Amino acid sequence: MYISPRNELSEFRRRYRWMRLFVFLTFLIFVSRLVYLQLVHGDEYHEKSMNNVIRTVSLPAVRGRIFDSKGRVMATSMPSHTLVAIPHYVDMGEGFARLVELLGLDEQEAEAIAAKLNDYRKDSKDMRRFQQIALLESMAPEQLAAVKAHQDELAGIDVVDEPRRYYPYGEVASHVIGYMNEVNGDDIVHANDNEDIADKYRAGDLIGRKGIERSFEAELRGIRGWRKKVVDARGLPLSREKVEGLLPDASMQEPSPGYDITLTIDVALQKLTRQALSGHPSSSAVIMNIHDGSILAAVSRPSIDSNKMTNGLTYAEHETINENPYRPRIDKTVYENYFPGSVFKPFTAFAALEEGIVTPEDVFNCSGFHEFGGRIFKCTHSHGDMTMYDALVQSCNVYFYNLAEMTGMDRIARYAGEFGFGQKTGVGYNTEATGHIPTREWYDKNFPGQFRIGHTLNASIGQGNTKVTLMQVAAAYSALANGGTLYQPQVVKSIETPDGEVVKEFQPIIKRRVTVSKHSMDLVMEALAGVVEDEEGTAHSAYNESVSIAGKTGTAQVVKQSRKKGDTMADFYYRNRDHAWFASVAPIENPEIAIVVLVEHGGAGGEHAAPVGVEIARRYFDEIAPRHEAPLLADSPDNNQTDVRVPVEDSAPTTASAHKR
Amino acid sequence: MAGSLVYRKRDEFDWILFGVVFLISTVGILNLYSTGTASGSPELYLTQLYWVVLGGIGSFIVAIIDYKHYERYGYLAYGGGVLLLILVLMFGKEVGGSVRWFAIGEFRFQPSELMKVLLVVGLAKYLHHDPKAEGRKLEDMFIPALMTGLAMVLILKEPDLGTALLCLLVFLSIMMLTRLTVRSTITLLLTTPIVAILGWSYLLKDYQKQRVVSFWNLFVDPEADKLGAGWHANQSMIAIGSGQVTGKGYLQGTAGPHHFLPECRTDFPFSVFAEEQGFLGAAGLVLLYLFLVMWCIRIAAQSRDRFGSVIAVGIGSIFFWHVVINLGMVMGVMPVVGITLPLFSYGGSSVLTFMLGIGLLMNVSIHRFRRNYSA
C-alpha cells in the first residue's frame, strides 16, 4: 500500500511517550506545590490571609475615677474622638482632599496632616506605614459626624474613641492627683519586662506621671479590649454579609474599666487650705487625721492645673513653669527637705525628759546667747529663766542648747527616729524625701574627726544637719497628739469597681508606738497649747479665742545667698528670709487633726506661718467639721475608721491645762 | 466482499474533549463570579459567558470543516496573522505602555493571542510537507524557526513578553515532535544559553527584568519585598495556601473579593479558586488540565496525517505552556508574567483563541479516520 509522505507519521510516533512523561512530571510539580502550600503550610497561610483582612482595633479602657473623701469627682474620663489613619492605605489624592473637605480644615492644618502622613509613607520599605497614627485629637462633633457618614470614601482613615482625662478641680489638689502624659520608650520596655502588666503599653498610650495617677496606675488603668473588623486591601471596612465566616468566633473583647479610687483628701478642706496660704507664693501645708494617719489636705503652692499638664503644655508654658522660682513642679509636702527649726524642739525635749536628764521644772537662764567651745550660739533675745514649758512656749534656743549638751546627739536622734524623722513616711505618692537626723556615727563616717558638740546644739533646735519633710512633721505631731502612735500617712481611703463595689479598703497602718511616756507628751502638749494661748507664746499674735489649737512655731534658717545678677532687692531679701513653720494639732482637747504649715522665706514662724495654721483650724471647725456635731469622717456611710481608731483613743492626751505650772 | 468484513470507522464527535472544555469553562465562569462579587463589576462573568458561548459556536464551525482545507490555506493563515501584528503596531490602541489591541468600539481584539494558533497552523503546514524519517538537522528547522522568529519579534515590539515567550515554547514543543539528530540536539543545547543571555540584555524591558528579579528574590527570601514587585506572588501564595484542604467556600475567599490580588480576573483566577475550593478543588482543576493536555497528545498520536499531529501537539502545547506559566506564577515557582489560564481567565481574545484551538483539536479528532490518499 502506498503511503503518502504527508502520512509518514513514523517520525512522530516515538516522541509521544516522552511528551506524556514530560507533561505528567510537570503537572506532578504543581500538585506537589499545592500539597506544600495548602496541606503542609496551610495553617500558616491561613493565618496570614486572616491578618490580611482582619484588622484588630483596640478599644480603650475607661480609666478609673478619683474621688475625694466626700465623693466629689477629682479626676474622670470624658469621651473624646481621635481621627486616626494607617498611612499606607490613605489615598493622598482625591481621598485626602475629601477628608480635608469633610473636616473643614484650613490650608495650614491640611498641610500639617499631609506632611505627617507623607512622613510615614515616603519609604515603601518602612513598615511604620502600616501603623495606626493619630491625625486629629478631640474632634468636633460635626467633624465626627462627617467622617462617620462618609467612611466608605476614606480609605485607611478611622475614628477611635479615646476617653480624655479631666480634672474638675484643676490645680486644687494637682500635686496629689498628679497628671498623665504619653508613654515613652522606657515605659514600654518596663511594661514589657514586667509580667504583672498583662496589657502592655503601646506608643500613644497615656500613663500616670505624678501623684495618685502614677502610684495607682495599675488600678486606675483597666484593661483595653479589642474588636476585629474585616477590611479589604485598601483598608475599607466590609459589610457584615460579605465577611460572614471570615471573622473568628470571638470578634470582640470588651474593655474592662479601671477601678475608682477614693482619697482621704477633702476637696473643701484642700481649697480652704489653699486660700489660707494664698498670700504666700511658695508654701505648703499638710492636714492629717491624727487618729489614723489619713491626709485630709496636702497643698503645695504654686501648682499647675492637672488638665494643662495632661493635655500637653506649649513650649512657652513649659518655659514659664521651669523658670518659676517657686518651683511649681515640686510637691513641697513630700519632696522637699527643710530645716525644721524650732518645730523640732519637742522631740529634743522628749529625749531629755525620757532619759531623765532634766525634769520639767529644771531652770536654765537665757541671756540671749550660749557660749560653747569658743563659739557663740544665739537666741532670739534674752529670755531669762526658762523651764521646759517656758522654753517651748517662747522657743528659747539657749534652754535647748543646754539640754542638747547634756543629752547628746544620738539620744536626740533616737527619739526623733521614733517619731519617724529621717525615714520615708511611705505616703505612697510622688517622690518622697527621706529627711535627715544626724548622728555621731554619721559625722564620723562623712566628716571624720570634725564632729563638735556644737553640731548637737544646732541639731537640737532643728538646724545644722537636721532635715525633715512636711509629711514627717505631720505624722510626728499626730503621734505626739494621739498618745504616741505613729501612723503611716495615707492618702487613699479605698479602691472600688466602677459600680461602687469596694475592692480594697485601706486600714490605718501603725508604724510604731513611741516609747515616750504619757506624762512627757502631756507636758509637751500643754506647752504647745501655750505657744498660741500664752501671751508669751511665739504664736500668740495669731491667737483667736474661738479656735482651739496647740502648735509649735519654727523659723528655719536658709542658706544665705549673695545677690545674684538681675535680682531685685525684693528678690534678694526674699531669698534670704527664713522659712516659717507652724506645726500644730487641733483642737487642744481631744485633738483630731494635725496642721503643718510651711511658708518658704516667710520669716518668723509665729508671725507668718501660725496665722495660716490658725486660719485653717478656724475654718475647719466652722465649715468642715463643726464642733459638737458628728465626729470627723463619720458622716460618710461606708466609713468604719472610727472603729479602727478605738485602740488609740483611750491613750489620747487629756486636757493639757491640768499640767500647767 | 472485503468491504463487508472491514469495519469502516466513522467520524465521531469527541465528547470527552467537549466534556473537559465544558467543565473548565463552567467552573471558570463561576469563579469569575466570585472574583466580581465585591469589586463592583459583578457582570464580568456574564461577558465571559458570552465569549465562551460565542467561542464554542465558533469552535464547532471550525471543527466540522475537514482540516484538509485549513492545510491548503495554512501559509495564508500565518501570513494573515503576521499582517495583523504589523497593523496593530501601526494602528493599535496603547494601554499601559504597550500596543497590543485593536479597539473596535467596546471590543478589544488582541492579534498576538490569535497569532499563537495561526503560527501552529503555519508550522503544521510546513512540517506536513517536509517528512524526515531519517532524522532532522538544524538547517531543516530554519524555515519554521524563521516563521516563529518573525512572529516573536513583532509581538516583542508591542511589547508582550509573555506571548512571545509562548510562541517560542510552542515552536520548541513542535520541534520535540520531530526527530532531531543527536548533533543538532547538542548544538541547540549549547546555543540556547547564549541566546537567553542576549535576550536578557537586549530584548527585555526594565519592568520585565524587575519582575524576574523580584521573583528570584522571593525564592531567596520569601519575606522580602512583600509590598513591591513581590506583592502579587506573595498574596497569591497566601490565598492558595489559606484554602487548605477544603477551602473557604464559594464566594468566601479574600483574594478576589477583597482586592488582595488586583489582577485576579485575568492573571490570578486560580488563586481565588484554590482559596475558595481548597486542595480538593485546586488539585482537581490541575488534573483536568493534565487530562486535557494528555488528550491533545492522544489526538496527535491518532491523527490521520502529519498536519493533524502537528496541529494537535501545537494546540496542546499552547494549553500546556499557558497552564504551566500561569500556575507556576500563581504558586510562586515562576516569575510573574501576564499569561492567562486557559478558559479560566477573563478575556475575550483569550477565550476566542482557546476555543479556536479547541475547534482545531476537535477537527483533528473527528476526522482522524478519513484517510486522504489523493493528496
Side-chain angles (χ1 to χ4, degrees):
Chain A
M1 180 160 66
Y2 168 77
I3 295 177
S4 141
R6 279 156 288 182
N7 297 337
E8 172 52 66
L9 292 160
S10 62
E11 185 189 356
F12 301 160
R13 202 142 279 159
R14 267 187 263 163
R15 320 300 285 177
Y16 294 123
R17 77 175 69 151
W18 294 111
M19 278 187 180
R20 288 197 175 102
L21 185 66
F22 181 74
V23 169
F24 180 77
L25 290 179
T26 310
F27 276 85
L28 198 62
I29 292 174
F30 290 129
V31 174
S32 325
R33 183 68 179 167
L34 282 178
V35 169
Y36 174 86
L37 290 176
Q38 299 190 295
L39 305 187
V40 180
H41 292 279
D43 289 335
E44 281 164 48
Y45 283 116
H46 191 263
E47 203 186 317
K48 280 187 186 172
S49 119
M50 286 294 115
N51 292 340
N52 258 346
V53 292
I54 293 175
R55 205 146 292 160
T56 305
V57 183
S58 81
L59 305 173
V62 177
R63 194 176 175 87
R65 292 164 294 180
I66 302 175
F67 298 105
D68 85 337
S69 62
K70 302 281 164 57
R72 302 180 189 98
V73 177
M74 304 194 73
T76 185
S77 294
M78 310 280 280
S80 166
H81 305 280
T82 303
L83 186 76
V84 297
I86 294 176
H88 176 77
Y89 297 120
V90 178
D91 164 21
M92 290 309 287
E94 258 174 62
F96 186 74
R98 187 81 178 114
L99 178 69
V100 169
E101 181 192 333
L102 287 170
L103 294 175
L105 300 176
D106 64 34
E107 213 166 288
Q108 213 177 343
E109 291 168 317
E111 257 170 47
I113 290 178
K116 189 168 185 181
L117 282 169
N118 283 326
D119 180 47
Y120 283 86
R121 289 164 57 92
K122 63 181 178 224
D123 183 2
S124 66
K125 294 247 163 58
D126 187 351
M127 291 315 271
R128 288 189 314 150
R129 53 178 31 241
F130 286 98
Q131 211 173 62
Q132 183 171 294
I133 60 167
L135 295 184
L136 193 68
E137 282 171 5
S138 306
M139 295 171 74
E142 56 275 12
Q143 290 178 323
L144 177 69
V147 170
K148 287 262 181 196
H150 297 93
Q151 184 80 72
D152 54 337
E153 298 167 51
L154 303 169
I157 303 277
D158 208 347
V159 174
V160 294
D161 305 334
E162 247 170 23
R164 240 162 203 279
R165 204 62 169 158
Y166 173 62
Y167 306 93
Y169 290 97
E171 60 176 305
V172 168
S174 61
H175 280 107
V176 178
I177 301 292
Y179 60 89
M180 304 182 71
N181 63 21
E182 218 165 276
V183 288
N184 57 37
D186 288 346
D187 299 324
I188 294 172
V189 169
H190 169 79
N192 285 344
D193 292 346
N194 188 341
E195 282 176 19
D196 293 339
I197 302 174
D199 184 4
K200 301 301 182 197
Y201 288 89
R202 298 175 200 159
D205 284 355
L206 293 181
I207 188 169
R209 254 327 150 205
K210 280 278 167 65
I212 295 301
E213 292 279 33
R214 180 194 175 120
S215 304
F216 288 84
E217 169 72 12
E219 288 81 0
L220 286 166
R221 190 175 169 221
I223 300 167
R224 91 182 94 212
W226 43 260
R227 192 182 74 229
K228 292 197 186 296
K229 77 177 184 183
V230 179
V231 294
D232 65 15
R234 296 166 300 185
L236 295 180
L238 297 175
S239 62
R240 274 262 147 216
E241 57 268 28
K242 278 176 191 162
V243 303
E244 198 116 8
L246 281 177
L247 277 178
D249 297 337
S251 64
M252 184 164 172
Q253 169 76 58
E254 290 276 4
S256 34
Y259 290 139
D260 291 342
I261 285 182
T262 299
L263 302 181
T264 58
I265 300 278
D266 181 334
V267 167
L269 182 61
Q270 180 85 12
K271 267 184 174 168
L272 72 84
T273 304
R274 282 175 58 83
Q275 284 159 8
L277 283 169
S278 60
H280 308 289
S282 188
S283 54
S284 52
V286 170
I287 299 168
M288 188 180 280
N289 179 346
I290 66 162
H291 297 299
D292 60 13
S294 61
I295 297 160
L296 308 179
V299 173
S300 175
R301 289 181 68 102
S303 54
I304 314 161
D305 188 339
S306 296
N307 293 305
K308 223 178 225 180
M309 292 302 288
T310 300
N311 294 339
L313 297 170
T314 65
Y315 183 74
E317 285 172 326
H318 201 77
E319 286 292 288
T320 313
I321 288 167
N322 286 349
E323 282 165 12
N324 188 330
Y326 305 134
R327 311 184 311 292
R329 286 183 195 272
I330 285 175
D331 183 355
K332 298 186 175 93
T333 62
V334 293
Y335 182 73
E336 199 75 271
N337 282 320
Y338 295 100
F339 292 126
S342 302
V343 159
F344 189 73
K345 281 176 181 162
F347 308 98
T348 306
F350 284 139
L353 288 171
E354 291 301 303
E355 295 296 317
I357 287 157
V358 293
T359 66
E361 289 76 29
D362 288 344
V363 173
F364 295 92
N365 183 270
C366 169
S367 52
F369 64 91
H370 182 71
E371 194 182 345
F372 187 87
R375 281 187 65 192
I376 298 291
F377 293 85
K378 281 197 245 171
C379 198
T380 48
H381 59 277
S382 170
H383 289 99
D385 284 350
M386 292 272 115
T387 62
M388 178 163 284
Y389 175 87
D390 299 329
L392 283 169
V393 169
Q394 300 180 35
S395 205
C396 174
N397 289 348
V398 170
Y399 178 92
F400 281 93
Y401 294 146
N402 284 301
L403 235 58
E405 222 182 297
M406 295 186 288
T407 312
M409 176 172 276
D410 286 354
R411 282 185 185 143
I412 295 172
R414 204 177 81 219
Y415 283 89
E418 284 207 23
F419 280 91
F421 291 110
Q423 306 139 27
K424 289 188 176 174
T425 63
V427 65
Y429 68 95
N430 290 344
T431 313
E432 205 187 349
T434 314
H436 185 246
I437 300 299
T439 58
R440 286 293 299 271
E441 196 189 346
W442 181 80
Y443 274 101
D444 289 347
K445 202 171 153 196
N446 292 282
F447 306 96
Q450 291 179 33
F451 178 75
R452 300 285 181 273
I453 301 293
H455 291 133
T456 309
L457 303 195
N458 275 332
S460 72
I461 60 159
Q463 296 287 154
N465 281 298
T466 306
K467 293 279 186 82
V468 300
T469 66
L470 262 76
M471 200 56 76
Q472 287 173 338
V473 173
Y477 271 70
S478 293
L480 190 161
N482 70 20
T485 306
L486 183 70
Y487 286 102
Q488 176 174 313
Q490 291 192 88
V491 76
V492 175
K493 192 155 101 178
S494 57
I495 299 177
E496 302 105 34
T497 66
D499 304 328
E501 193 184 315
V502 175
V503 176
K504 184 175 177 184
E505 184 98 43
F506 287 81
Q507 304 297 339
I509 299 170
I510 297 173
K511 290 182 91 170
R512 72 177 69 82
R513 289 177 191 277
V514 296
T515 57
V516 175
S517 69
K518 186 173 181 305
H519 181 261
S520 299
M521 278 192 285
D522 289 350
L523 182 90
V524 169
M525 271 300 292
E526 185 189 343
L528 295 190
V531 168
V532 185
E533 290 181 346
D534 266 20
E535 293 200 358
E536 300 284 329
T538 50
H540 188 68
S541 61
Y543 176 66
N544 177 335
E545 60 183 11
S546 70
V547 181
S548 166
I549 186 166
K552 182 74 198 79
T553 59
T555 306
Q557 288 170 19
V558 297
V559 181
K560 296 294 174 223
Q561 293 179 358
S562 55
R563 199 175 161 194
K564 282 185 210 152
K565 242 190 189 168
D567 265 6
T568 61
M569 221 41 202
D571 286 343
F572 174 63
Y573 280 122
Y574 173 82
R575 278 191 289 103
N576 281 299
R577 208 150 53 215
D578 296 334
H579 294 330
W581 279 97
F582 186 62
S584 58
V585 292
I588 296 168
E589 279 183 52
N590 296 323
E592 288 173 10
I593 56 170
I595 304 169
V596 179
V597 175
L598 178 107
V599 178
E600 280 192 359
H601 307 293
E607 282 164 48
H608 298 97
V612 174
V614 172
E615 170 69 0
I616 293 169
R618 183 187 70 76
R619 291 190 62 188
Y620 174 79
F621 293 125
D622 278 358
E623 301 167 25
I624 309 294
R627 301 287 59 219
H628 313 301
E629 285 183 19
L632 178 76
L633 296 176
D635 52 338
S636 61
D638 60 341
N639 183 287
N640 56 6
Q641 291 181 351
T642 33
D643 306 330
V644 176
R645 69 179 183 227
V646 165
V648 287
E649 278 216 311
D650 47 16
S651 63
T654 51
T655 319
S657 55
H659 300 279
K660 259 189 178 172
R661 82 192 146 126
Chain B
M1 193 179 87
S4 64
L5 286 175
V6 175
Y7 174 70
R8 169 119 189 171
K9 289 186 178 170
R10 298 264 183 87
D11 294 351
E12 245 174 59
F13 186 74
D14 193 338
W15 284 105
I16 292 179
L17 178 63
F18 174 81
V20 172
V21 170
F22 181 81
L23 212 56
I24 293 176
S25 307
T26 309
V27 174
I29 289 166
L30 291 173
N31 189 55
L32 276 177
Y33 178 76
S34 176
T35 67
T37 45
S39 67
S41 48
E43 73 286 357
L44 275 181
Y45 80 101
L46 272 181
T47 318
Q48 180 83 346
L49 177 62
Y50 299 149
W51 287 123
V52 167
V53 171
L54 193 69
I57 293 167
S59 74
F60 186 74
I61 295 163
V62 167
I64 51 174
I65 303 165
D66 191 308
Y67 62 83
K68 69 181 176 193
H69 303 293
Y70 304 145
E71 189 267 327
R72 192 180 304 147
Y73 301 111
Y75 291 141
L76 195 67
Y78 171 80
V82 169
L83 188 68
L84 281 175
L85 286 178
I86 293 168
L87 287 175
V88 85
L89 283 176
M90 294 165 69
F91 307 111
K93 185 179 162 66
E94 182 174 334
V95 178
S98 54
V99 189
R100 299 178 189 177
W101 295 275
F102 285 124
I104 307 154
E106 282 290 288
F107 176 57
R108 288 198 310 195
F109 172 67
Q110 195 176 345
S112 57
E113 288 284 343
L114 186 64
M115 189 63 219
K116 285 178 286 196
V117 177
L118 298 180
L119 176 66
V120 168
V121 175
L123 292 175
K125 164 100 177 172
Y126 181 86
L127 291 173
H128 184 59
H129 295 284
D130 185 32
K132 288 278 192 296
E134 306 308 316
R136 206 168 278 269
K137 294 185 205 136
L138 269 186
E139 47 264 45
D140 295 328
M141 299 308 298
F142 181 71
I143 300 292
L146 203 67
M147 290 167 74
T148 311
L150 178 63
M152 280 177 70
V153 167
L154 288 170
I155 292 168
L156 279 174
K157 271 263 172 205
E158 293 181 351
D160 183 355
L161 173 73
T163 309
L165 181 70
L166 243 136
C167 290
L168 178 66
L169 289 168
V170 166
F171 169 71
L172 292 175
S173 305
I174 291 173
M175 286 309 102
M176 250 185 87
L177 187 63
T178 64
R179 193 186 294 164
L180 273 187
T181 60
V182 177
R183 233 188 82 201
S184 300
T185 311
I186 292 168
T187 317
L188 199 64
L189 286 177
L190 288 178
T191 50
T192 307
I194 297 165
V195 173
I197 289 165
L198 289 175
W200 173 265
S201 305
Y202 297 107
L203 287 176
L204 289 190
K205 301 270 175 191
D206 277 346
Y207 82 92
Q208 290 164 330
K209 289 183 189 174
Q210 178 65 37
R211 281 188 169 183
V212 177
V213 169
S214 94
F215 161 76
W216 178 250
N217 287 343
L218 200 70
F219 257 139
V220 181
D221 177 13
E223 293 300 306
D225 201 18
K226 259 194 249 179
L227 304 168
W231 165 274
H232 289 106
N234 193 51
Q235 286 297 326
S236 171
M237 276 157 64
I238 288 175
I240 295 171
S242 67
Q244 293 176 294
V245 183
T246 52
K248 294 176 184 168
Y250 187 53
L251 303 182
Q252 302 297 319
T254 62
H258 297 189
H259 306 279
F260 283 93
L261 275 171
E263 288 163 51
C264 67
R265 283 177 231 114
T266 51
D267 291 353
F268 292 93
F270 182 84
S271 316
V272 176
F273 183 75
E275 182 182 17
E276 294 184 353
Q277 305 304 328
F279 177 77
L280 297 179
L285 184 64
V286 169
L287 292 180
L288 266 183
Y289 280 115
L290 171 65
F291 184 84
L292 177 64
V293 175
M294 289 297 198
W295 197 254
C296 290
I297 295 171
R298 187 191 141 98
I299 291 172
Q302 291 181 345
S303 164
R304 69 176 188 227
D305 55 18
R306 292 171 61 86
F307 185 78
S309 292
V310 177
I311 290 283
V313 166
I315 299 298
S317 75
I318 293 176
F319 277 92
F320 176 74
W321 291 113
H322 263 272
V323 171
V324 166
I325 293 172
N326 184 276
L327 292 189
M329 167 179 77
V330 303
M331 292 187 197
V333 293
M334 289 178 86
V336 175
V337 281
I339 288 290
T340 55
L341 189 60
L343 303 173
F344 215 73
S345 293
Y346 175 77
S349 300
S350 171
V351 169
L352 286 184
T353 305
F354 287 119
M355 281 304 187
L356 176 64
I358 294 295
L360 287 172
L361 275 175
M362 185 65 87
N363 197 326
V364 175
S365 182
I366 289 174
H367 301 109
R368 64 183 183 271
F369 306 115
R370 217 181 264 184
R371 294 247 157 174
N372 189 348
Y373 296 99
S374 61

